[in-house]
């Protein structure tokens, strides 16, 4: 069994900036074929209505998956804040060869929004405002041969980019004060940590129901291993200081790779590992190995292609392989 995660970088069959979607298909479809995945955790999948007022369709994803062998597999996808239909942008999708027994999204179901009154906003608000996460968490229960359940959690945490504040940022992205940028960056950190906490509490619910649960938390964490968001989700024994909790730790699978291969993004010349597959210890017992397909990555900030658009994603896909026991 192979589980993959891939941030598709605004997958959309109506791309802006003069980008040709056919170019994206030509580049990205071989990436899917190379993954040979049985379970795909995808981030940044956009949708459009087929007609005005009609249902929103995953037309770009359908075209990307066509001919890969997984176009007719089971799917679970996130919804907008109202829970009625997919969002325009940045949906989470799980595509699985294994049957999906149940799925749900978690969005402030376990952690309520924080209340915060910005001090640099102009004009300042009269009272504290809700600080809500940008995206939900998607949890699917997949049925393995023999009847066991594999819990797959797909996440896309907030990037560490400052949140807009009234009166502190110009239309084209220039901040008007360092204090305004600092407060916006603080709020971005709150959003990312809050999503990480809600992810961890979801994992806690799974372990409460089954201490030996098979769990894989996959996605774009926008966080490296020793940074706060990933530490919250992992629940490492060295942080809790309690060996009795060791079975609740989630293990980052990139640890099994050489250090010079542990990167999924190149950020201003610096290779960083922002996309992860974390697994429970029972699932780790089935682990065979992992791959990060980062050979063609461009720099997300300084690559010349960022000016006119590129058919590639600036995130490398990661895939992990497991040996399933006989049913």
């Amino acid at each position: 069994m192979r589980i993959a995660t891939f941030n598709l970088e605004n997958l959309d069959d109506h791309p802006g900036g003069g980008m040709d979607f056919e170019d994206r298909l030509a580049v990205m479809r071989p990436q899917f074929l190379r993954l040979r995945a049985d379970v795909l955790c995808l981030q940044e999948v956009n949708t459009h209505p087929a007609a005005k007022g009609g249902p929103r369709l995953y037309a770009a994803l359908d075209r990307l998956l066509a001919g890969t062998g997984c176009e007719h597999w089971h799917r679970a996808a996130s919804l907008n804040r109202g829970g009625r239909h997919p969002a325009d942008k940045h949906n989470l999708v799980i595509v699985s060869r294994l049957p999906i027994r149940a799925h749900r999204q978690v969005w402030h179901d376990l952690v309520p929004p924080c209340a915060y009154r910005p001090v640099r906003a102009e004009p300042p608000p009269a009272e504290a405002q809700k600080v809500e996460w940008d995206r939900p968490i998607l949890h699917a229960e997949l049925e393995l041969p023999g009847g066991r359940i594999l819990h797959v959690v797909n996440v896309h945490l907030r990037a560490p980019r400052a949140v807009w504040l009234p009166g502190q940022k110009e239309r084209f992205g220039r901040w008007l004060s360092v204090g305004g940028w600092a407060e916006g960056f603080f709020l971005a950190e709150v959003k990312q940590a809050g999503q990480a906490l809600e992810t961890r509490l979801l994992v806690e619910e799974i372990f409460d129901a089954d201490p030996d649960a098979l769990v894989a938390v996959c996605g774009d964490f926008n966080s490296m291993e020793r940074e706060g968001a990933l530490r919250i989700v992992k629940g490492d024994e060295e942080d809790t200081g309690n060996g009795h909790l060791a079975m609740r730790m989630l293990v980052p699978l990139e640890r099994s790779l050489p250090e010079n291969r542990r990167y999924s993004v190149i950020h201003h010349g610096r290779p960083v590992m922002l996309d992860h597959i974390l697994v429970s210890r029972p699932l780790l017992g089935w682990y065979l190995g992992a791959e990060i397909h980062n050979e063609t990555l461009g720099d997300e900030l300084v690559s010349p292609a960022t000016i006119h658009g590129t058919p590639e994603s600036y995130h490398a896909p990661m895939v992990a392989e497991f040996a399933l026991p006989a049913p």
Side-chain angles (χ1 to χ4, degrees), residues 227-256:
E227 294 179 325
L230 205 66
R231 289 174 63 183
I232 290 170
V233 178
K234 282 192 310 175
D236 206 316
E237 182 183 343
E238 66 186 45
D239 285 325
T240 66
N242 186 345
H244 292 294
L245 301 176
M247 281 297 290
R248 292 198 170 217
M249 175 189 174
L250 297 177
V251 181
L253 295 183
E254 71 264 16
R255 287 180 176 180
S256 66

Side-chain angles (χ1 to χ4, degrees), residues 77-92 104-114 130-139 153-158 191 194-199 201-202 205:
S78 60
L79 301 172
N80 67 350
R81 289 184 185 274
R84 296 185 298 274
H85 54 71
D88 293 344
K89 295 184 177 181
H90 291 195
N91 294 286
L92 302 167
R104 62 166 171 157
Q105 74 175 23
V106 178
W107 202 350
H108 291 300
D109 297 281
L110 304 178
V111 179
C114 304
K130 289 183 178 180
V131 181
E132 297 181 326
W133 323 152
D134 301 317
R135 288 174 288 267
I137 302 154
L138 183 61
H139 170 214
V153 180
N154 189 2
V155 302
H156 185 186
L157 303 190
R158 167 83 190 200
K191 286 172 174 276
Q195 281 182 283
L197 174 59
E198 191 152 43
T199 303
L201 296 185
L202 170 59
E205 281 193 353

Side-chain angles (χ1 to χ4, degrees), residues 225 252-264 273 275 277 287-294 317-321:
E225 183 176 351
L253 295 183
E254 71 264 16
R255 287 180 176 180
S256 66
L257 298 173
E259 285 194 20
N260 64 354
R261 296 292 299 165
R262 296 182 202 171
Y263 66 94
S264 62
M273 190 70 195
D275 304 82
I277 298 176
Y287 177 57
L288 295 176
E291 305 161 11
I292 305 170
H293 298 168
N294 51 22
M318 180 178 181
V319 61
E321 186 166 0

